[in-house]
Structure formats: structure tokens, C-alpha cells
Amino acid sequence: MKKTVRNIVILLAVLLVLGGTAYLLANLPKDGDGEESSQPSSSSSTERKELLTREDTEIESVEVKNAEDEYTIVPTQEDSQLGFTLEGYEDYDFNTSQVAANVRTMLAFKPAKELGSQDSLDAFGLGSGGTRVTVNYKDGGSDQLVLGDTSPETVGKYVLKDGEVYIVSGVPDAFYANRFSYFYTSVYVIPSLTDVTVDDEGETTETEAEDKLETMTLTGARFPEPVTIEYNSRYLSGYGITEPVTAESGNTKLSELITSLKTLTASSVVDAGITDEKLEKYGLTEPDAKLSFSLNGSKHELAVSAKDSDGMRYMTADGNDLVYRVDNSAVTNWADANLMSLRMSYVWIANIKDVKKLTVTIDGSEVHSFDITREKDEEKSTDTSTEYDISKIVDGDGNSVDYEVYQPFYQQMISMAVFTLDKAEYSGTPAMKIEYEYFNGGADTVEYYEIPGNRYAALLNGSFNGQVRGTDFDGVMALLP
């Protein structure tokens, strides 16, 4: 036989053998069809089933007990939809959708790996410190799971059921936390104001307007005297303090405070169902600071405890029956404020071009008056605003006063600064009385009473404003025309 023919015969024989083997393998009995069935080991199976075999409609309750808390989840029916909520908190607003999602995730637990029975459950976090979840069914049956540590070898957490340890991915973190992890931490969000303009062609444009704080009152241990700030257009800044002194606010500190009030988010919710005992527990029986305010037409009330060693405070808000834990940075602009930081340092500032008549009386008898005439500045005025220049100043005797003399005196007079808000005893006749009358109507009065220590008690429209130094007072007297 030639070599080529021999090789072909050998190849045909090999193919016949391989084909027969393949046929035999393809026709081996399947599971349950005979003794030749093959069972893969549990640790390598890719067809694992869920740990729990029940449907959500069968659940009576889910009991969760972890290192932080112990609570029960129960089914609820709303709009013909099956949901789940926290027992005893049905009337609270929290993330019930997440509660339901976690329950259904648990029902679908499918192990990524099976480790079988283990001698030391503590090594997997499945001992006494593990999270116990008991699922009770309407037919009286139940399932128990223990949730343990995160597995370092496969993505997932250790889960114990019926004495067997599994690694399961997607175990909800909420099962390891307290019941209030489902509660929303956003306390409120205040919408911005808008300005609406219409152009010549009728096109409407909306732009974000400046925030407007209608009123704000601070009380609590930090504010033994209530501090009230209100919007008032007669102040240059738009804001004035009405209690416990009368002064202009609207400084940088207040602007930062207003911005911080637009939205508030807590770090967590720690309790619900406020009682006197709970207020005492969280240091809120006598709050460190309380705030009541109206911003952009939205009203809110907040109260915070003193800071703890971690710089955190407990807080109540808007009577919503919850206790929050909040980082101090979220409330510091008002909770750590003081009256001096919220006011302008000067006693009173009136625009020099708005004053029609200025009267300065020294010791009740020496009167200096100035009548001012102003003219419209055509170059600087626009269709929406009018600018003025002072054209003439006449004193009480009818003599003309140079603007170069009047302006430095006026500047020094309105620059007198309050350095302390300590109350002072004063009486008698003011050492200086300043009366402003305005072109657009209205008037304001500032008085300075001498007190011990080379100081003067300043009053704005009859209300105490603060103390100024004698050196500031002397500076005004030195420039009096």
C-alpha cells in the first residue's frame, strides 16, 4: 500500500472513533433519567437560586435588629399598590420607596458563592454582632437571615441562612443602619425670586432677583435679648435692627446669613415623635439658639442645641416632629452670630445729596442749621434714575457755606462708629443733637449723651444705638462750620 493511501485510511479510522465518542456523550442520561447524571459542587454552580423563595405579597412583617437599632417593616396598600413602611411611622414623610426596594432586594438574594457551614461565624461578622433579619409570612412561616461583613474575596457581604454561609452582592446598607436612615435629610429649600421684564416687542424675560429677608428674630441662650431684623427701604442697605437696639443692618455678615438660609440639609435624622424627655435628651429644652424668619415669602422656625465635641448640633425645624443632627457649619451664620456682627458700625448714614436741611444743636442751645439746594445732574441721570449735585448751602444766618467746608464735616459726622452695645445710663440734655430733613419727605434724629469714661451714648430716633468714643465726638466738633 502506498504511503499516501495508508495515511488516509488512518485518518478515517480516527474520525470514526471521535464521532462515536461525541455521539455517546450527547446521549448520556440527563438528571433524573438514569444513574449517569452529574451534580456540580455547590461552590461552583452558576444556576444558584434565591435564598428566599417567597413573594412580597406573602410577607406579614420584616424585623430588623442591628448594632444601632431594632425596628419592624410592614406592608402597606396605597392606590392598589403593595408597598412597605416602618411600623409606627406610617404618618411620617420618609423614603418608603426605598424601604420597599430593600425588601424586594432581600427577597431576590442570590448567592455569588456558597461557603457551607463554618465553625467560626464571628470571622464573617455573623456572630452576635451580625444584623438579624426575620421575615414573617402570613401563613405563620418565617425565614431568618444574618447579615455580616463585606467579603474581601468576592463582591458582596456574608449572609447566614439555615446554618450555611453565602456571599451575596447587593445587600442594602440600610439594614445595618437605624430606622431613621430612611428619613429625608433635606429640611427645606426656598425658591429664588424672579424679575419679569417685557421689551418693546412684547417679549417676556425672567431673571433671578435679589433675595428679600422680610423679617428675622434670634432668641435662645445666645440671645438673652431678642434680636429682630426687618426689611426697611429707608435704610441704605435695606435692612434695619429693631431690637434690642435701633440700627442699620445689611452688612456682609447679614448677606452671608441670608444666602445660607436659602437651603438647609441636615447630616441625619436621629429621632421622631418629639416629647419633653426627648427635647431634654438632645439639649433642646432650652435651645442654644432659635431662629424665626421669612425669606422670599417662605417662613421657617429653627432651634439648635449647643455644639458637641464633634462640632455637631441637634436641631428641630418647622414643627415637623423630627430631631435632626446637623453640622455647625450649616447653621453657624445665625447660630454663632451676635448683635454687633449683624449691625453696621455707624450710628446713622444719610446720603448727603438727600438731605434738604441739617440742624446740629450743641448742649441744647447752640444751633447750627444748613439749608441745601440741589440740581439734577443731566449727564449722570438716566430714564430710570436721577442723580443730583448740591448747588448751594446756606447757614442759619443766611451766609453761604462752601461745599468744601460742609462735606468734610458731614463725612466726619456720619462716620462716628459704635464700638460697644453695652447699655449706659444717660439723662439731661444731649451734648449733640443732629436732625436730618429730606427732599423726599421724612426726617431722622441722632442724639449723643455724655457718659463716664469719655464716651457718648448714641440714640437713633429716640432708641439706644450704642456707645461711641469721645475722640470721634471731638472730631466732629472740630470740623463744625
Side-chain angles (χ1 to χ4, degrees), residues 13-28:
V14 171
L15 290 175
L16 285 171
V17 172
L18 291 175
T21 302
Y23 175 82
L24 289 172
L25 290 174
N27 287 278
L28 283 174

Side-chain angles (χ1 to χ4, degrees), residues 14 20 48 54 98 129 134 184 191 259 287 293 322 351 414 418 421 470:
V14 171
R48 299 186 182 93
R54 300 293 195 105
Q98 190 60 55
T134 302
Y184 301 113
T259 299
F293 72 97
L322 299 177
N351 191 317
I414 63 175
V418 169
L421 296 174

Side-chain angles (χ1 to χ4, degrees), residues 419 450-457 467-474:
F419 74 95
E450 189 172 9
I451 58 177
N454 193 27
R455 302 176 178 185
Y456 290 83
Q467 295 185 32
V468 301
R469 293 183 172 87
T471 52
D472 289 348
F473 184 91
D474 295 339

